[in-house]
Amino acid sequence: MTNEELKTSIPTLLASAVIEDGSDFLTINVEATDWLSFAQQLRNDASLQFNFLFCLTCVDWKTHLTMVYHLRSTIHRHELVVKAKLDRTNPEIETVSHIWRTAEFHEREVYEMFGVKFLNHPDLRLLILPDGWEGKKPMLKDFEDPINMIRL
Amino acid sequence: MFEEVGTTTEGDLIINVGPQHPATHGVLHLVITLNGETIKNVEPHLGYIHRSIEKMCESLTYRQFIYVTSRMDYLSAHINNHACAMCVEKGMQIEIPARAQVIRVLMDELTRIASHELWWGAMAMDLGAFTPFFHAFRERESINDIMEETCGARLTMNYMVPGGVMHDLHPNFQKRVKDFIQLYKSKIHEYDEMVTGNIIFQNRMKGVGIISPEDVLSYGCTGPVARGSGVSSDVRKLYPYEIYDKLQFDEVLETGCDSFARYMVRIREMQQSIRIIEQLIDNIPEGDFQAKTKAVLKLPKGEFYTKAETARGELGVYIVSEGGTTPYRIKFRSPGFSNLSALNHLVKGGKIGDLIAAMGTLDLVIPDIDR
């Protein structure tokens, strides 16, 4: 499907989805609570079949966090970006690691770097940071570590 | 839905492989739960060389951050630089000259051969053969010499900049590349004689570390790992950049889904890279090697994503810009990170001896995973 066709078919799946312009990917904003069911539809709908989650990350906007999911269908050759806005003090979103297994590692990385809690994740522990780092979120904009951080 | 993770019962043996183990190709730490010789679970521990490159990039300008990325996947330094430079060019809408495009592709393909050579030697060494390592290094050395002349470095090259390449090719470049092609063609049969056709290697690799095409996609594997399972994933073919759509080369696909299939993909991919270099080496267009750009680059507000095919798979660069001279947020979608996440799936239920063979064919470069 082309971006234009996706643009017309996506709102039929989720009425509250907001389409954002200005990027070469079609970008959809969803509520964090809608994400899990929406993700399942994106994966399983015969005309969409987004079977490849190629990038999963988070952006700290100081007022809130945004989860960013880059999806691709290797069958239909179309791509999509889904964003979900999260509360900064208590960021929570459902895991999608049972839909795309790659999310298992990527969500653990986001969990330790941004503190996003992925609900129902099978193994939400630190992956990269050493033990004893709990509580400190290095990728947040206000993170300071005068000993280990080098300012260039 | 999920296999049970990390459950141990009485009689299980937990062993640690790494962090400083020759077969972990850097500093990877694997905690392996064994029942007899059978692997129940493999849990990778990362972070031993984590340098928070993504965080550092937030305080570096668009010219500076490219230097850091050579240190990520140091065996594919050129291609890392290339992906980042393309992302900045996309944001700035810079057209790069034809000469720079050809130079970039030449450097990328030489890098790919050098990386696969090292993988081939290290893989054979993981399985207990030492001689192939020296043979691989002999050929790789010629590529390093070529790189040293033009780029000034043998490992962490910083040659590609937004707008083109940093400076022109060394006058010896064409001759040395042609010499290298001759050398390579006279030696490639040795690889098959020593390793590919060897019955011990075949027995250790065939049927080991099987991953189905569906799982490849679910785990987000790319590069030779995906193509070994018959999943078409070559960014150069699917989403061509630079001049790749004008070149004659095949996407290498194998359907074995096992370690041997991944091995064969890389062997055949080197030959395709030679084919690309042969098409270009006598046809490097004259002209500028760099487009005119401002000294300090400012990306417009927005989000930019580019991808390139490194020796290990798809490297994605995601830049979130707020309009300043430094990126607001950068994410590197590194191929090794996703490939490693499939390791447990690859080896679970197999024998401990097969772990090293399966891990070797993932071609892990740890700084690429840790960033």
Side-chain angles (χ1 to χ4, degrees), chain B residues 62-130:
Chain B
Y62 289 108
R63 277 192 200 283
Q64 289 169 331
F65 92 90
I66 292 178
Y67 291 78
V68 187
T69 61
S70 304
R71 275 79 183 164
M72 256 163 38
D73 184 349
Y74 46 74
L75 297 178
S76 289
H78 271 306
I79 312 178
N80 283 4
N81 290 172
H82 194 166
C84 298
M86 280 198 300
C87 199
V88 177
E89 282 153 12
K90 189 179 190 180
M92 298 277 297
Q93 297 182 322
I94 302 171
E95 284 285 322
I96 76 159
R99 184 176 174 84
Q101 294 197 9
V102 172
I103 294 175
R104 279 181 172 187
V105 171
L106 276 169
M107 289 298 182
D108 279 6
E109 295 309 319
L110 284 171
T111 306
R112 196 180 316 281
I113 296 172
S115 173
H116 284 354
E117 296 267 14
L118 181 66
W119 162 80
W120 181 77
M123 160 93 212
M125 199 163 69
D126 288 352
L127 295 184
F130 207 68

Side-chain angles (χ1 to χ4, degrees), chain A residues 24-25 51-52 54 57-58 60 72 77 79 83 101-102 106 109 125 127-128 138-141, chain B residues 43 46-47 50 55 58 90 217-220 238-239 303 305 307 314 328-329 333 337-338 371:
Chain A
D24 37 319
F25 294 106
N51 55 356
F52 188 30
F54 63 98
T57 189
C58 186
D60 176 19
R72 182 186 304 157
R77 296 249 165 271
E79 294 180 322
K83 290 185 186 172
R101 296 295 295 265
T102 183
H106 278 98
E109 193 188 347
R125 287 177 299 123
L127 176 70
I128 293 171
M139 285 301 284
L140 292 181
K141 288 282 176 185
Chain B
E43 195 192 316
L46 313 174
H50 188 69
K55 181 89 175 174
E58 290 174 8
K90 189 179 190 180
L217 291 165
S218 181
Y219 278 102
L238 300 177
Y239 304 94
E303 290 166 18
Y305 189 96
K307 42 187 172 278
E314 176 179 328
Y328 187 75
R329 165 98 171 97
R333 183 251 181 249
F337 190 77
S338 300
R371 300 188 302 283

Side-chain angles (χ1 to χ4, degrees), chain B residues 310-338:
Chain B
T310 76
R312 268 151 287 283
E314 176 179 328
L315 174 80
V317 181
Y318 175 57
I319 297 183
V320 179
S321 168
E322 278 286 86
T325 55
T326 57
Y328 187 75
R329 165 98 171 97
I330 283 195
K331 159 83 183 170
F332 296 107
R333 183 251 181 249
S334 59
F337 190 77
S338 300

Side-chain angles (χ1 to χ4, degrees), chain B residues 31-300:
Chain B
V31 179
I32 305 165
T33 311
L34 284 175
N35 183 352
E37 258 191 285
T38 308
I39 298 171
K40 283 179 83 179
N41 191 50
V42 175
E43 195 192 316
H45 285 241
L46 313 174
Y48 288 91
I49 48 171
H50 188 69
R51 297 142 299 167
S52 63
I53 282 183
E54 287 173 11
K55 181 89 175 174
M56 243 155 85
C57 287
E58 290 174 8
S59 59
L60 296 172
T61 68
Y62 289 108
R63 277 192 200 283
Q64 289 169 331
F65 92 90
I66 292 178
Y67 291 78
V68 187
T69 61
S70 304
R71 275 79 183 164
M72 256 163 38
D73 184 349
Y74 46 74
L75 297 178
S76 289
H78 271 306
I79 312 178
N80 283 4
N81 290 172
H82 194 166
C84 298
M86 280 198 300
C87 199
V88 177
E89 282 153 12
K90 189 179 190 180
M92 298 277 297
Q93 297 182 322
I94 302 171
E95 284 285 322
I96 76 159
R99 184 176 174 84
Q101 294 197 9
V102 172
I103 294 175
R104 279 181 172 187
V105 171
L106 276 169
M107 289 298 182
D108 279 6
E109 295 309 319
L110 284 171
T111 306
R112 196 180 316 281
I113 296 172
S115 173
H116 284 354
E117 296 267 14
L118 181 66
W119 162 80
W120 181 77
M123 160 93 212
M125 199 163 69
D126 288 352
L127 295 184
F130 207 68
T131 317
F133 194 68
F134 290 114
H135 284 252
F137 263 66
R138 180 186 59 193
E139 272 81 75
R140 190 171 174 269
E141 195 67 13
S142 330
I143 298 182
N144 281 352
D145 288 344
I146 296 169
M147 295 297 179
E148 192 178 9
E149 266 188 347
T150 294
C151 317
R154 296 168 71 84
L155 195 67
T156 50
M157 289 75 92
N158 288 294
Y159 185 55
M160 299 191 192
V161 292
V165 293
M166 197 178 279
H167 41 74
D168 213 348
L169 292 172
H170 191 273
N172 288 345
F173 181 81
Q174 266 171 312
K175 187 187 166 293
R176 292 195 90 144
V177 171
K178 282 183 198 165
D179 288 349
F180 166 72
I181 294 173
Q182 290 311 315
L183 173 83
Y184 183 82
K185 284 188 171 166
S186 67
K187 303 288 184 196
I188 183 70
H189 64 279
E190 289 182 1
Y191 293 23
D192 291 340
E193 281 166 16
M194 269 192 292
V195 178
T196 317
N198 186 314
I199 192 72
I200 301 170
F201 277 96
Q202 292 207 359
N203 283 343
R204 286 205 62 184
M205 285 194 282
K206 279 187 179 166
V208 167
I210 291 174
I211 184 163
S212 68
E214 293 76 35
D215 287 327
V216 158
L217 291 165
S218 181
Y219 278 102
C221 300
T222 48
V225 179
R227 293 196 284 278
S229 297
V231 176
S232 167
S233 68
D234 196 327
V235 183
R236 297 173 296 170
K237 279 279 181 202
L238 300 177
Y239 304 94
Y241 51 98
E242 307 299 5
I243 49 164
Y244 277 115
D245 51 345
K246 299 189 192 97
L247 294 168
Q248 301 287 317
F249 68 101
D250 301 326
E251 177 177 11
V252 179
L253 288 174
E254 292 276 338
T255 49
C257 302
D258 58 0
S259 298
F260 191 68
R262 296 191 283 275
Y263 171 90
M264 283 312 291
V265 167
R266 292 201 181 85
I267 290 285
R268 286 172 58 205
E269 219 171 72
M270 284 197 264
Q271 290 154 2
Q272 293 300 325
S273 291
I274 289 282
R275 203 173 144 197
I276 293 175
I277 295 169
E278 277 181 324
Q279 288 169 52
L280 291 174
I281 191 66
D282 284 320
N283 302 310
I284 306 176
E286 295 296 321
D288 290 339
F289 54 86
Q290 203 184 108
K292 286 199 168 49
T293 50
K294 291 199 176 99
V296 179
L297 301 174
K298 265 190 185 176
L299 252 67

